[in-house]
């Protein structure tokens, strides 16, 4: 009798597919060397604060010891930065882990989870892993005047039911780059009953420049069913260390702590995140540089008669009005890695991270050649 591990897995796991991280970048780095232009993972090419690098080096002698299981020093720093209590913060191995953890703690086969079409890929994965029923609400239409493919909060609110347990929102959203303002979020939260938890993922919050969007954090004291997740992977450029955090009511954080893995954040991540958080001047410098490059790249792409979605992130989504696979392949052959969007149901689109000028120019040069071909 043959052994079938898949058949032994529980029903929720059997239906899952592993998260697709895109191209095998370690192999590509060997193939292309320093000539590889990596613009597919929304990383921060400006790098972390020098203070974060120094903190990692200082932590090296204690590598044989376990990290602080509570992350107490970082929680103190985050509480001061966010103006909240330490027991309202949950630390995670990136915000990805926290989004999964929330579903593990609060969703099950008897309840449903709402999220938007073209929302972050982890939302349906977390839902299915918890065995909950997924409700994918259509995004705003492509022809929407100001926010094509953005979250349709009014329709999402209308879809809430007695069986709804979680709502996942991303603001700004990955992969579209679109966003909704504070007033729209408040109106939505006022329509959400107390038995529904609302999760707002703000992974790209630090790149926001529009005045109408501040942060969902301002509403946490008013709505105890609100959870806000953030990461140090993007603006703080600590993607390789995998660290994120959530702010919620102390009651919600207490539930999350029951299932959070022991030592889920390593010592170097704790030290680097605390140092990076203290260097807000570096974050401000990065925000300005990326906003400027985002505007420049958007204009250059529009000159090529391409549709570029509005973005408040460190990437842009580009619609080529045809299957983009050939273009993506051509860019790849020229050592430029971008992210195809077929997995999101957007086969005509490519997502391009905002790099430094040299990277952005290399992408444009390769794209111009690809379009000409």
């Amino acid at each position: 009798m043959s052994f079938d591990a898949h058949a032994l897995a529980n029903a929720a796991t059997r239906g899952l597919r592993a998260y697709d991280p895109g191209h095998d970048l370690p192999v590509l780095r060997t193939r292309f060397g320093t000539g590889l232009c990596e613009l597919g993972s929304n990383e921060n090419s400006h790098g972390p604060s020098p203070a974060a690098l120094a903190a990692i080096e200082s932590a090296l002698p204690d590598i044989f010891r376990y990290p602080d299981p509570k992350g107490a020093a970082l929680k103190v720093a985050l509480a001061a930065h966010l103006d909240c209590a330490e027991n309202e913060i949950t630390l995670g191995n990136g915000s990805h882990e926290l989004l999964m953890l929330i579903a593990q703690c609060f969703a099950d086969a008897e309840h449903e989870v709402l999220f938007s079409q073209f929302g972050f890929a982890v939302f349906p994965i977390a839902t299915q892993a918890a065995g909950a029923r997924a409700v994918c609400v259509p995004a705003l239409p492509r022809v929407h005047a100001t926010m094509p493919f953005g979250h349709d909060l009014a329709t999402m609110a209308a879809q809430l039911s007695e069986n709804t347990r979680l709502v996942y929102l991303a603001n700004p959203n990955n992969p579209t780059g679109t966003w909704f303002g504070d007033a729209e979020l408040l109106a939505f939260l006022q329509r959400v009953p107390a038995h529904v938890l609302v999760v707002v993922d703000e992974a790209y919050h630090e790149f926001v420049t529009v005045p109408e969007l501040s942060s969902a954090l301002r509403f946490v004291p008013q709505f105890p069913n609100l959870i806000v997740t953030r990461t140090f992977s993007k603006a703080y450029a600590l993607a390789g260390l995998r660290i994120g955090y959530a702010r919620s009511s102390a009651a919600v954080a207490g539930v999350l702590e029951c299932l959070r893995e022991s030592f889920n954040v390593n010592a170097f991540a704790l030290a680097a995140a605390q140092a990076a958080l203290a260097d807000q001047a570096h974050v401000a410098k990065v925000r300005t540089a990326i906003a400027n490059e985002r505007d420049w790249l958007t204009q250059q792409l529009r000159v090529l008669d391409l549709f570029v979605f509005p973005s408040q992130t460190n990437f842009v989504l580009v619609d080529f009005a045809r299957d983009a696979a050939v273009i993506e392949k051509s860019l790849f052959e020229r050592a430029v890695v971008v992210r195809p969007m077929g997995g999101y149901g957007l086969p005509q689109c490519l997502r391009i991270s905002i790099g430094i000028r040299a990277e952005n120019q290399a992408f444009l040069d390769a794209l111009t050649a690809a379009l000409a071909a």
Side-chain angles (χ1 to χ4, degrees):
M1 182 177 180
S2 62
F3 176 75
D4 187 352
H6 187 266
L8 298 178
N10 59 44
T13 303
R14 285 198 302 272
L16 284 173
R17 290 189 304 168
Y19 176 78
D20 179 11
H23 291 292
D24 190 340
L25 290 171
V27 171
L28 294 181
R29 288 166 191 152
T30 300
R31 174 182 171 183
F32 292 110
T34 57
L36 183 66
C37 183
E38 299 183 37
L39 297 177
S41 299
N42 300 342
E43 295 157 335
N44 179 356
S45 297
H46 295 269
S49 161
L53 298 176
I56 295 170
E57 187 174 359
S58 296
L60 281 172
D62 290 326
I63 192 172
F64 65 98
R65 299 206 183 275
Y66 284 108
D68 178 2
K70 297 181 179 179
L74 179 57
K75 281 188 175 183
V76 169
L78 280 168
H81 180 69
L82 303 176
D83 190 23
C84 68
E86 296 162 34
N87 64 355
E88 296 176 349
I89 297 170
T90 308
L91 299 179
N93 186 248
S95 53
H96 184 144
E97 182 192 38
L98 292 167
L99 295 170
M100 298 289 292
L101 178 64
I102 291 165
Q104 286 179 290
C105 287
F106 293 103
D108 55 37
E110 298 178 359
H111 295 92
E112 61 189 25
V113 177
L114 266 67
F115 46 83
S116 176
Q117 180 188 24
F118 310 134
F120 186 32
V122 172
F123 299 162
I125 294 174
T127 301
Q128 190 168 348
R133 186 171 78 87
V135 178
C136 183
V137 179
L140 293 169
R142 167 71 167 74
V143 295
H144 192 275
T146 58
M147 212 55 64
F149 288 168
H151 287 13
D152 187 346
L153 294 183
T155 300
M156 294 185 80
Q159 291 271 25
L160 298 172
S161 72
E162 292 183 357
N163 291 325
T164 307
R165 179 52 51 85
L166 280 174
V167 176
Y168 281 116
L169 307 172
N171 199 29
N173 181 56
N174 176 22
T176 60
T178 50
W179 68 94
F180 47 86
D182 294 352
E184 295 170 271
L185 177 59
L186 177 59
F188 176 79
L189 291 171
Q190 289 171 335
R191 296 181 63 182
V192 177
H195 72 270
V196 178
L197 289 164
V198 177
V199 183
V200 181
D201 181 30
E202 292 189 342
Y204 299 91
H205 162 76
E206 289 85 1
F207 301 115
V208 172
T209 57
V210 293
E212 67 267 22
L213 171 56
S214 61
S215 172
L217 289 172
R218 65 185 294 188
F219 300 121
V220 173
Q222 183 180 351
F223 298 95
N225 58 333
L226 174 62
I227 307 171
V228 181
T229 59
R230 287 187 178 177
T231 182
F232 283 93
S233 295
K234 306 303 180 183
Y236 293 95
L238 297 177
L241 290 179
R242 309 303 301 125
I243 179 166
Y245 62 93
R247 187 202 167 183
S248 64
S249 66
V252 168
V255 174
L256 296 176
E257 285 294 332
C258 292
L259 194 58
R260 181 183 65 85
E261 293 183 12
S262 302
F263 311 110
N264 64 327
V265 179
N266 69 74
F268 306 118
L270 291 172
Q274 186 177 348
L277 188 68
D279 192 356
Q280 287 301 308
H282 182 78
V283 177
K285 180 180 178 181
V286 168
R287 179 191 299 114
T288 299
I290 287 178
N292 289 339
E293 285 298 301
R294 182 176 65 208
D295 291 345
W296 178 82
L297 183 60
T298 297
Q299 288 303 115
Q300 298 301 312
L301 290 167
R302 286 174 177 164
V303 168
L304 297 175
D305 200 27
L306 297 171
F307 182 84
V308 184
F309 287 79
S311 176
Q312 283 292 293
T313 64
N314 68 334
F315 63 84
V316 290
L317 184 69
V318 183
D319 190 337
F320 291 86
R322 52 180 160 144
D323 189 345
V326 174
I327 299 169
E328 191 264 339
K329 183 176 183 293
S330 181
L331 291 171
F332 177 77
E333 291 170 348
R334 291 172 170 84
V336 175
V337 176
V338 297
R339 192 65 180 266
M341 290 285 104
Y344 280 91
L346 296 167
Q348 77 280 14
C349 294
L350 296 177
R351 192 190 68 194
I352 298 96
S353 306
I354 305 297
I356 59 176
R357 177 59 63 90
E359 292 173 317
N360 298 332
Q361 187 62 61
F363 159 70
L364 280 173
D365 293 344
L367 178 61
T368 301
L371 292 175

